[in-house]
Amino acid sequence: RSMRRALLTASLLSMAIFAGLVLVSGPSKTTVTYKNKPVKAWFYGAGTNFFNEKTRQATQEAIDAVGTNACPFLFANLKGKRGNGALYFKLYQALPVRLRTVLPYPISGDDIQVITLHHIRQMQNFPKQQIQALADCVPTFHNPRVRLVGFNEMHAKYETDPAFSPMCRKLLNDEHPGIRLEAAICLAESGIVADPREPRLFPILLAALESKKERELSLENRDYWYQQQPPGTPGRIRTLLPSFVRQQQKPEEEYLRERVLRAMYRLERHMSQEQKDRLRQAIRGSSSPAL
């Protein structure tokens, strides 16, 4: 039995090492250093302290120091295959505690992307030519919660940049209703810049105005929680809500309805008479008062 146990442990260890080496960070083409240490080393820290505030502060210091030279590494995190998959998490959990110390701590690709997005947002002099690259990345994120984080980062810092509206138009076809709705609201609010005749705006906004269930569905991926990769226990670290939600005191669903209605009023002068009639009908049929 002891021999079988040893063989099983050795097999698990070998598989875990292989999975960890292949998936933890992927190929790297950058050797940019800060204080004689690669930016990648600052980013991941010691593994187990990846989510530690001190690690993130030290990483941001390194990124700010090297400036635009950090961009290849950051975009490699957003575009490439990063993080450990479910297999590695399972193997890591199955190994004895004493053996885990020799392996990379499991970090999901989603967490790496979200952490990278937060570092990009904090960069003081983010290259303008890279804003378009960031906008192109957002619709490609597999996890809709990560896509919403990326959308919010663009919305908060680069809403007036020419790359923002085209990104929103791409997200009008997103598979998640919450992301479609946020993109539609932003395009309607920026009707002077965006094309107010965009045919997809009205049906997306109308559905959210008419249905409380639709609004609740749109809100379900509003938060992002770190360390969600199975089979690990969900972590307690949570990203902050978008500023437009944090600052208001009303229930999120009610506040979302008001945002949708304001967006509709911005579009009203571009609506057909049939669309105006449907808007009035939706307002009358709602339990909440019109603005």
Side-chain angles (χ1 to χ4, degrees), residues 51 89 105-106 108 111 224-230 232-237:
F51 298 100
F89 275 78
Y105 186 79
S108 74
D111 286 349
Y224 180 85
W225 294 82
Y226 294 112
Q227 298 176 291
Q228 292 289 303
Q229 179 71 40
T233 303
R236 298 178 182 178
I237 312 173

Side-chain angles (χ1 to χ4, degrees), residues 38-49:
V39 172
K40 175 181 174 181
W42 288 102
F43 182 83
Y44 287 104
T48 54
N49 65 345

Side-chain angles (χ1 to χ4, degrees), residues 11-290:
S11 177
L12 289 173
L13 181 60
S14 299
M15 293 174 65
I17 291 174
F18 176 76
L21 291 175
V22 170
L23 299 176
V24 69
S25 61
S28 177
K29 296 181 180 180
T30 178
T31 56
V32 177
T33 62
Y34 171 66
K35 293 184 177 179
N36 298 319
K37 189 164 74 170
V39 172
K40 175 181 174 181
W42 288 102
F43 182 83
Y44 287 104
T48 54
N49 65 345
F50 179 73
F51 298 100
N52 187 281
E53 184 177 355
K54 290 184 178 180
T55 302
R56 305 275 50 92
Q57 289 176 345
T59 300
Q60 193 63 47
E61 178 183 331
I63 290 173
D64 291 340
V66 302
T68 58
N69 290 326
C71 288
F73 170 76
L74 295 172
F75 276 96
N77 284 351
L78 297 181
K79 297 178 180 180
K81 187 175 181 60
R82 296 291 186 269
N84 305 111
L87 173 61
Y88 183 73
F89 275 78
K90 292 178 180 179
L91 293 171
Y92 187 89
Q93 295 294 331
L95 288 170
V97 175
R98 60 187 175 82
L99 293 179
R100 295 180 192 174
T101 59
V102 303
L103 294 174
Y105 186 79
I107 305 170
S108 74
D110 289 344
D111 286 349
I112 290 172
Q113 288 180 328
V114 171
I115 291 289
T116 299
L117 288 167
H118 288 340
H119 282 304
I120 287 176
R121 182 176 181 179
Q122 294 178 68
M123 292 179 69
Q124 298 299 315
N125 298 305
F126 192 63
K128 187 171 181 61
Q129 64 270 25
Q130 297 291 359
I131 298 175
Q132 181 63 60
L134 178 60
D136 291 339
C137 284
V138 173
T140 68
F141 299 142
H142 175 73
N143 187 333
R145 294 179 186 271
V146 179
R147 292 199 299 278
L148 190 59
V149 171
F151 175 86
N152 287 330
E153 301 290 16
M154 285 288 298
H155 186 198
K157 198 167 183 179
Y158 304 114
E159 182 182 10
T160 59
D161 189 271
F164 183 72
S165 290
M167 181 196 72
C168 288
R169 291 192 188 95
K170 289 181 182 179
L171 293 175
L172 291 177
N173 292 325
D174 194 272
E175 63 183 17
H176 195 281
I179 297 176
R180 293 197 301 269
L181 181 58
E182 288 297 334
I185 290 174
C186 286
L187 284 173
E189 290 177 341
S190 61
I192 297 176
V193 177
D195 184 355
R197 297 164 296 179
E198 165 60 63
R200 293 170 292 178
L201 293 185
F202 184 79
I204 292 174
L205 293 170
L206 183 66
L209 185 61
E210 290 180 328
S211 171
K212 180 178 180 180
K213 183 177 180 181
E214 183 76 12
R215 294 192 294 272
E216 291 174 341
L217 184 64
S218 295
L219 290 167
E220 70 177 14
N221 76 333
R222 181 61 54 87
D223 296 333
Y224 180 85
W225 294 82
Y226 294 112
Q227 298 176 291
Q228 292 289 303
Q229 179 71 40
T233 303
R236 298 178 182 178
I237 312 173
R238 181 187 189 187
T239 60
L240 293 176
L241 290 170
S243 59
F244 59 77
V245 176
R246 295 200 305 273
Q247 294 172 358
Q248 54 84 26
Q249 301 299 321
K250 297 180 180 180
E252 290 184 31
E253 178 273 320
E254 182 180 342
Y255 184 67
L256 178 58
R257 179 192 178 275
E258 292 184 358
R259 292 180 63 225
V260 172
L261 191 53
R262 282 196 294 269
M264 281 292 224
Y265 285 157
R266 292 292 298 271
L267 285 179
E268 187 173 13
R269 64 192 179 96
H270 304 288
M271 293 179 187
S272 66
Q273 188 58 50
E274 179 184 358
Q275 290 174 328
K276 292 179 181 178
D277 293 341
R278 292 188 65 185
L279 173 59
R280 297 291 176 263
Q281 182 180 357
I283 293 174
R284 288 195 299 268
S286 174
S287 59
S288 300

